[in-house]
Amino acid sequence: MTDVIKEDQVLDCSGMLCPMPVVKTSKAMKELQSGQILKMVATDPGAPPDMEAWSRQTGNELLRSMTEGGKFIFYLRKK
C-alpha cells in the first residue's frame, strides 16, 4: 500500500449485520459532495460482496477494499 487514501468521512458499521452497513453507507454518501471519499468499517462477513454490488449499482467508486484486524475496510468515492 504505497498510496494513501485520505477520507473525508468515516462510518463505523462494526457489529451491524446486513443490510445495515449498506443502508448506513447509502445515507452517508448522500451527505458527501461529488468526489469526496467515505471510509466505511464493517465486521459483517457479507459486507465485501454487498459493497461491491452496491458500488456497481449506484455508480459510486469502490477505491479499495481490505481486511484489517478482523474488520473489513472500504474506501468509496462519491460519483
Side-chain angles (χ1 to χ4, degrees):
M1 305 276 172
T2 53
D3 55 334
V4 175
I5 299 175
K6 175 66 181 105
E7 69 273 4
D8 295 289
Q9 186 178 334
V10 177
L11 175 65
D12 188 356
C13 294
S14 298
M16 296 181 192
L17 296 176
C18 184
M20 290 314 295
V22 172
V23 171
K24 297 273 189 187
T25 297
S26 293
K27 187 171 191 269
M29 290 296 274
K30 286 180 180 146
E31 297 170 9
L32 295 178
Q33 302 294 319
S34 182
Q36 285 189 308
I37 296 172
L38 174 71
K39 175 183 178 182
M40 193 274 271
V41 180
T43 51
D44 181 2
D50 288 349
M51 294 314 300
E52 287 172 22
W54 178 84
S55 176
R56 276 195 311 272
Q57 291 167 358
T58 62
N60 292 298
E61 186 181 359
L62 179 56
L63 299 173
R64 185 178 294 159
S65 172
M66 57 192 193
T67 307
E68 200 173 272
K71 294 190 177 195
F72 302 99
I73 301 168
F74 306 91
Y75 290 90
L76 301 139
R77 179 182 287 135
K78 182 164 180 168
K79 65 177 177 184

